[in-house]
Structures are given as C-alpha cells and as structure tokens.
Amino acid sequence: MKTVGTVLVMSACMLAGFFFASAGELRVRNLRALCLLLSAMRREMMYRQSSLAELIKGACEREEMKKLAFLPVCCELFESGEPFAYAWRTSLEQKGRLCLLNGEDIGLLCAFGDALGTTDCEGQLSLIDDYSEIFSLRSVQARESAGKYGKLCRSLGLLAAAGAAIILI
Amino acid sequence: MKAFAQAVGFLPENIRAVLMCLPEQTAQRISEVRLRANQPVVLVTGASSSFITISGRFTRIYSDNVMRASPEDIACALGAFCGYSVHSCQQSINRGFITLAGGHRAGLCGTAVSSRDGILSLKDISCLNLRIARQFIGCSKPVFEALGARVLCGVLLCGSPSSGKTTLLRDLVRALSSGEAGEYYKVCVVDERSEIAACSAGVAQMQLGPNTDVLNAYPKSEGILSALRSMSPQLIVCDEVGSMDDVQAIMSGLDSGVSFIAAAHAGSEEELRSRTQIRRLMDTRAFSSIIMLESAACPTRIKRIYTYEEWSGKT
C-alpha cells in the first residue's frame, strides 16, 4: 500500500512538472497561431476587403488556427446576430484561458476586437500591424520563458518526485 | 411582411421590437424607415410620412409619445448595416449608401471629410434611411403589353425618386431572361449600386431569371464595356445612367449590336429634356422608347410612353 502511494505521489509530482512545462510550449504555439490569424486578416483585408464575418469564418476553417478555441464561439455568436465586439469579447472570456492565453493577452485581444471593423481599410491595416507587433513580441517572450521555465518545471517535477520518494520510503 | 422583417432586422433591438408590433397590412405599405439622431423614427408609406408611438401604434400625428432614435441607435444600426466591417463598405459609405442583404438599401447622412480627390470618409453619421426592397413579380407586364417586341430595341425608364424605376427594371430583366418575351434572352445587368440584383456575398438576392449575368458594383461604363467584351449579351441593363462615360459606353454597345434598358432620374418630361446628358443619350438612338413613370404614390405605374420619333419630333 505504501509503495503504491509513493508511486502515485511521485507520478503526480512528475506529471505536474511536465504539465507546466508543456503549458508554456502550448502557449507559444497558440500565440504563433494568433500571429498567423492577424497576418491572414491583414492579407484578406488588403486584397479582398473581406468583412469580419468572412474573416472569422475563413479563420475557423484553417487547420493551423484550430488551436484558437475561441474562434468558433465568436463565429457562432456573430452569425447569430450579435455585434462583433460582443461576440469576440464573449468568446475570449469563455475560451481564452483554454487557449492558454493569460489575462493580459485576453485584455489586449478584447481591445483589438473593439477596434476591429470600425475604420477604413488603412486604419484596419495599421491596427493589425500594431497588434501583430505586440503579439510577435509576446510570442518571442513566451518562447524564451517556455525554454527557461520548461526545463525548470520538468527538473522541479523530477526533484519533487525524488524528494517525495525519499520522504515516503 | 418578410421583406419588412428582414429590413428592420438590421435596426437596434429597441426600435426593431416596436416596429415588429405593427399590423401586417401597415408593415407591407412601409417603403422607408428613417432614423435621425434625437428625432422621431419616421415611416414612409407612398408619398406620406408617419410616426410610430412607443407602444407600437402607427400614427400620422407628431407628439411627445412617438418613438425617437438616439445617437447610439444610429451607431448600432450603422454597425449592423455594414456587418461591423466599415473597411469593407468604405467606398459605399463615401457614396452615401450601403446595400444590405435582401436588396434593402441604407442611405447615410453625416459630415463629409473631403480632399481634392473627393469625399475621403463620412463621419458623425446622424441620419439613416432604410429603404425596403420588394420585388413585384409581373409588374413589367404593362410594358410588354404596350411595347411588345420594341422592348428589345432599347427602353429608357424615367421617373422621380421612389417611382419604381429599379423595381420595374428588375422585373423586365426577370421577364426577358426567363422567356416571358418569347425567348430566353441573354441579359447582363451592370449593377453599380447593387440595387437591381441586390447581390450579397456574390449571390443575387432578387429573381432575375435563368439567363442573367450580374456585374456587381462595377462602375457603369466599365461594367458595360466588360460585359461587351466577355459575356456577349443580347441586352444590357443598368440603373441611373446619365454621365458622359455612360453615354460613350452605351455607344460602344450599340456598335456591337447590343440593346439597352436603363433608368434615369427625371420627375417630368421637361426635366428629362433639360438634362444635357439625357439628350445626348437619346441622340445615340440607344432607346426606341421612353417610359415616364407616375410619382412615388403609385410606384411602377406608367404615366406615358414616348417613342423615339415622338421624342425627337418635339425637340
């Protein structure tokens, strides 16, 4: 019984370490997907002047953006007749955390959604450029921190497992 | 009622809810819903304007009890009109209107931001006019009865605003393309303002028959030339002709053996004759008949038909 308990505690410690390490990597991937979304939006606006409905629907269908779980919710709400800013904000509030976006990311995205579709094409392109830059930077920072803290989390998990084994045995 | 419900669906919830309380018969007569910031909501039926009370009663009397639109209502409606995508409708907004799904049209008034090249944008939009599009299948029958095969020799429809020019034009397209004139004619619609076909996401929202091609949002003259080059039409249909570019494009079409059916703004024969471009247009002999329509009180009703000979004999 004691051995089983020890094994379980050790597994839990290791899993926690690996979970926090992979969460950082997932956040990097999601931020990259977000950057891709912004650059796709820019292209669509620049060459086709696509409406937000077309942009969001198109983004939902793209494989590389499937990680962004808030997009289908936003699309659904928008198609049901809700104003875009509300649909965008609500979807982020519901699914933003699931995409491993932190409070600051969500706040930035909400502000972006409030301004999206409210000005002419030039204004929109400049808005997207500004937010692309912000999220590229955040993506770089997240990658660095994932590299740094990922190793630390894994090591801590293993160390905690070993510590628990020593104490329990 | 379907067209009315679809059109008012673009309005803010508070206004929509009151408008949807109107009896079906009244709703069917409404052709325009006008919103002005801090002013009452005006409903236009035929040539007269009316109001709606907060409780949803249709009234011709202006009182404190009538429903008003706030600046927030205008902003909310504008957002819905352009699908929350101002960037997609900027050109349209600059020209003062947005075509909505279903063919409805929202006219806009605000403060123009201009440069030497024209209007850059429209700000502080404070007045909206939602024109409800309805298709009256068969309204072109009197035209065919009066003109017969001469419809194919070119027709110019003239009338004052809201006299039903576009509605009649649309039904002529449908009838010609669907074989009601004895043949399935190849018709090209150059729909500069997206009013005839009311294309939404590239699909015509109005019935235009099985043999109609739509050049949506093309400038008229470029659309006519493009249709001539690529679609080999038998008839080209366009709304609100009048510029010199239009005249030149129509002349190119005539050289290619294509007939034209078009519409132009003119409240009376005198007004029509006083417009230089229209005179030039008639001189091209593109139109063998001119149809003058009655006023907004009885849309699509024909007032008088002139043949080209009658027209030119008078000038």
Side-chain angles (χ1 to χ4, degrees), chain B residues 108-182:
Chain B
L108 317 169
C109 279
T111 307
V113 180
S114 307
S115 75
R116 272 187 302 180
D117 301 328
I119 295 175
L120 286 177
S121 67
L122 207 58
K123 65 174 184 176
D124 305 330
I125 292 172
S126 56
C127 309
L128 304 174
N129 176 20
L130 177 60
R131 292 181 70 175
I132 300 162
R134 291 189 177 95
Q135 185 162 20
F136 295 104
I137 305 281
C139 69
S140 62
K141 215 172 165 188
V143 176
F144 285 103
E145 282 168 2
L147 296 178
R150 275 178 47 218
V151 170
L152 304 169
C153 303
V155 178
L156 182 66
L157 300 173
C158 301
S160 52
S162 303
S163 58
K165 296 183 293 292
T166 308
T167 309
L168 192 55
L169 207 57
R170 190 183 293 134
D171 201 56
L172 280 167
V173 172
R174 184 200 57 78
L176 287 163
S177 166
S178 52
E180 286 180 23

Side-chain angles (χ1 to χ4, degrees), chain A residues 10-167:
Chain A
M10 284 174 68
S11 310
C13 291
M14 282 194 288
L15 278 175
F18 280 96
F19 172 76
F20 285 114
S22 67
E25 283 159 18
L26 269 175
R27 184 174 136 74
V28 175
R29 270 184 237 159
N30 288 345
L31 283 172
R32 271 194 212 141
L34 212 53
C35 291
L36 277 177
L37 171 70
L38 293 176
S39 82
M41 277 182 165
R42 192 184 197 287
R43 269 197 311 275
E44 286 289 309
M45 276 190 188
M46 193 165 175
Y47 298 112
R48 297 183 58 209
Q49 298 199 340
S50 303
S51 66
L52 295 186
E54 291 169 321
L55 288 177
I56 297 298
K57 205 170 176 185
C60 285
E61 285 161 7
R62 288 181 63 171
E63 197 56 46
E64 65 269 34
M65 287 169 207
K66 292 242 159 86
K67 296 177 192 85
L68 303 173
F70 66 90
L71 284 179
V73 180
C74 175
C75 189
E76 201 179 314
L77 282 169
F78 193 36
E79 278 179 355
S80 73
E82 295 293 350
F84 179 77
Y86 172 82
W88 180 261
R89 186 175 285 271
T90 309
S91 65
L92 278 165
E93 280 165 4
Q94 283 180 11
K95 300 279 181 179
R97 298 276 175 191
L98 210 69
C99 304
L100 298 168
L101 299 173
N102 62 29
E104 209 178 324
D105 295 333
I106 292 173
L108 279 166
L109 281 172
C110 285
F112 172 68
D114 288 343
L116 206 55
T118 57
T119 59
D120 65 354
C121 206
E122 250 175 75
Q124 291 298 293
L125 294 179
S126 142
L127 176 84
I128 292 173
D129 287 344
D130 289 348
Y131 279 88
S132 287
E133 207 178 312
I134 292 170
F135 279 102
S136 297
L137 200 68
R138 292 181 80 78
S139 168
V140 171
Q141 284 168 348
R143 196 170 58 231
E144 280 170 5
S145 112
K148 202 159 103 187
Y149 294 108
K151 277 180 196 162
L152 187 71
C153 286
R154 273 188 288 268
S155 312
L156 277 175
L158 288 172
L159 211 64
I166 293 164
I167 293 164

Side-chain angles (χ1 to χ4, degrees), chain B residues 31 36 44 59 61-62 65 68 107 110 112 114 119 134 141 167 173 181 183 194 199 210 239 248 292 307 311:
Chain B
S31 57
R36 298 177 179 100
V44 178
T59 174
I61 301 155
Y62 175 60
N65 205 21
R68 286 168 184 276
S114 307
I119 295 175
R134 291 189 177 95
K141 215 172 165 188
T167 309
V173 172
E183 185 68 50
S194 308
C199 283
D239 209 355
Q248 274 166 0
M292 285 297 301
T307 59
W311 169 270

Side-chain angles (χ1 to χ4, degrees), chain B residues 21 31 34 61 70 75 80 85 98 115 117 121 130 142 150 154 161 185 216 221 227 236-237 252 267 302 311-312:
Chain B
C21 293
S31 57
R34 289 172 174 262
I61 301 155
S70 66
S85 310
I98 302 171
S115 75
D117 301 328
S121 67
L130 177 60
R150 275 178 47 218
Y185 291 102
N216 186 44
S221 51
I236 292 180
V237 175
S252 308
I302 297 170
W311 169 270
S312 56

Side-chain angles (χ1 to χ4, degrees), chain B residues 22-40:
Chain B
L22 285 169
E24 198 174 329
Q25 273 189 324
T26 312
Q28 270 174 350
R29 287 192 296 124
I30 294 170
S31 57
E32 293 177 7
V33 180
R34 289 172 174 262
L35 307 186
R36 298 177 179 100
N38 299 321
Q39 294 296 325

